[in-house]
Amino acid sequence: MPLPSSVARALQQHTEQFAPIPVTLPWDDPTPTEAPVEAEHRRPRTYAGARGSAAIDAIFA
């Protein structure tokens, strides 16, 4: 995807300052859950269409 050179520079500076680190997302755990609450904590969080908080409303405004 084409990017303006200013965006490419900003991304480069950011990755130099904050090196990427490996993470494991909780819903990628292949072991079965042992309790309903554990299943709830493993589900992906999405905010598409969410309303109610001022911060989320500002994002979608």
Side-chain angles (χ1 to χ4, degrees), residues 43-56:
R43 73 174 174 76
R45 305 303 196 265
T46 62
Y47 299 99
R51 299 290 180 183
S53 81
I56 292 175

Side-chain angles (χ1 to χ4, degrees), residues 19-32:
I21 59 170
V23 297
T24 301
L25 300 176
W27 53 86
D28 284 342
D29 187 348
T31 59

Side-chain angles (χ1 to χ4, degrees), residues 26 29 31-43 45:
D29 187 348
T31 59
T33 59
E34 295 181 18
V37 70
E38 184 181 358
E40 177 66 20
H41 283 283
R42 284 193 194 180
R43 73 174 174 76
R45 305 303 196 265

